[in-house]
Amino acid sequence: DQQVKQNSPSLSVQEGRISILNCDYTNSMFDYFLWYKKYPAEGPTFLISISSIKDKNEDGRFTVFLNKSAKHLSLHIVPSQPGDSAVYFCAASTPRYKYIFGTGTRLKVLA
Amino acid sequence: DGGITQSPKYLFRKEGQNVTLSCEQNLNHDAMYWYRQDPGQGLRLIYYSQIVNDFQKGDIAEGYSVSREKKESFPLTVTSAQKNPTAFYLCASSIAGGTEAFFGQGTRLTVV
């Protein structure tokens, strides 16, 4: 049973436009949500996170929104740059600090 | 430099052999994790450890074993009981009750 879902396997966006990556979860016990960026044959790199008590967190071009009632979070990248092209993983952590990952969305930013 | 180190980067194993993947961290993190990534799939949790001498099974622990004798080290053994071991293996660590987990660069295991 997939507790963290990323339903869009891929996304293409023009350079300079907004990229929106979505993630849904089923477990209301998750208390922290994270986004990671990953290149092939490398480990994921932490991007941004949000606590379950907040609904928005912003860091430069990256903003994460959390809608607890819908069990949905999204990552906004504005403006998108070609260097943002990678696979993005959504993750959720439990109070016992176990991280559950989604299946990833491959973002391609077109120059 | 603080970080998390996985070795080797590439590993080849013959069918029927056990193999051990190394993971070392000098971040003074209490918790460590092993994940597996298959092509086109997400990261699936194999084992995790919140404290020395203690570890728990993740979602796909069958055919794997771990030990946590030292805080800095969390080796993963892929046994011959693992039916499909070819994958990209990722180790991570975090502070207890912390926010983000930090990942190593991964080990690609190929069964030949």
Side-chain angles (χ1 to χ4, degrees), chain B residues 46-64:
Chain B
I46 305 173
Y47 269 98
Y48 64 108
S49 167
Q50 296 160 342
I51 197 168
V52 174
N53 292 322
D54 187 44
F55 48 83
Q56 289 78 41
K57 292 182 179 180
D59 300 320
I60 55 166
E62 186 176 350
Y64 299 98

Side-chain angles (χ1 to χ4, degrees), chain A residues 7-24:
Chain A
N7 292 318
S8 299
S10 64
L11 174 69
S12 291
V13 171
Q14 284 294 131
E15 181 180 6
R17 306 295 291 267
I18 184 171
S19 295
I20 300 177
L21 295 92
N22 293 304
C23 180
D24 297 296

Side-chain angles (χ1 to χ4, degrees), chain A residues 25-36:
Chain A
Y25 63 95
T26 58
N27 190 341
S28 57
M29 293 299 292
F30 289 142
D31 60 353
Y32 218 82
F33 301 90
L34 310 95
W35 284 95
Y36 283 84

Side-chain angles (χ1 to χ4, degrees), chain A residues 38-44 89, chain B residues 6 8-10 21 34-39 41-44 46 60 64 76 84-91 103-110:
Chain A
K38 187 181 182 301
Y39 295 112
E42 292 185 10
F89 287 99
Chain B
Q6 290 185 242
K9 191 167 177 64
Y10 299 97
L21 282 61
W34 275 105
Y35 290 88
R36 166 181 172 144
Q37 185 188 19
D38 294 283
Q41 296 194 33
L43 279 62
R44 293 184 290 167
I46 305 173
I60 55 166
Y64 299 98
L76 173 74
N84 188 18
T86 295
F88 189 54
Y89 290 87
L90 287 157
C91 179
F103 281 83
Q105 289 302 295
T107 293
R108 180 163 300 282
L109 172 64
T110 304

Side-chain angles (χ1 to χ4, degrees), chain A:
Chain A
D1 182 31
Q2 194 84 27
Q3 296 188 66
V4 178
K5 298 179 185 179
Q6 294 177 258
N7 292 318
S8 299
S10 64
L11 174 69
S12 291
V13 171
Q14 284 294 131
E15 181 180 6
R17 306 295 291 267
I18 184 171
S19 295
I20 300 177
L21 295 92
N22 293 304
C23 180
D24 297 296
Y25 63 95
T26 58
N27 190 341
S28 57
M29 293 299 292
F30 289 142
D31 60 353
Y32 218 82
F33 301 90
L34 310 95
W35 284 95
Y36 283 84
K37 178 180 180 180
K38 187 181 182 301
Y39 295 112
E42 292 185 10
T45 303
F46 170 73
L47 208 53
I48 191 169
S49 61
I50 187 167
S51 165
S52 60
I53 63 173
K54 295 188 174 182
D55 55 18
K56 178 182 174 181
N57 188 27
E58 196 170 350
D59 184 2
R61 297 186 298 115
F62 303 93
T63 302
V64 56
F65 295 93
L66 176 62
N67 182 334
K68 284 187 70 176
S69 61
K71 293 191 174 68
H72 176 84
L73 66 154
S74 60
L75 173 68
H76 293 209
I77 306 174
V78 182
S80 300
Q81 300 173 353
D84 295 330
S85 296
V87 177
Y88 289 78
F89 287 99
C90 165
S93 71
T94 69
R96 297 197 68 196
Y97 17 105
K98 183 172 74 169
Y99 297 86
I100 307 296
F101 283 79
T103 52
T105 296
R106 182 178 301 278
L107 173 66
K108 190 171 185 179
V109 180
L110 307 169

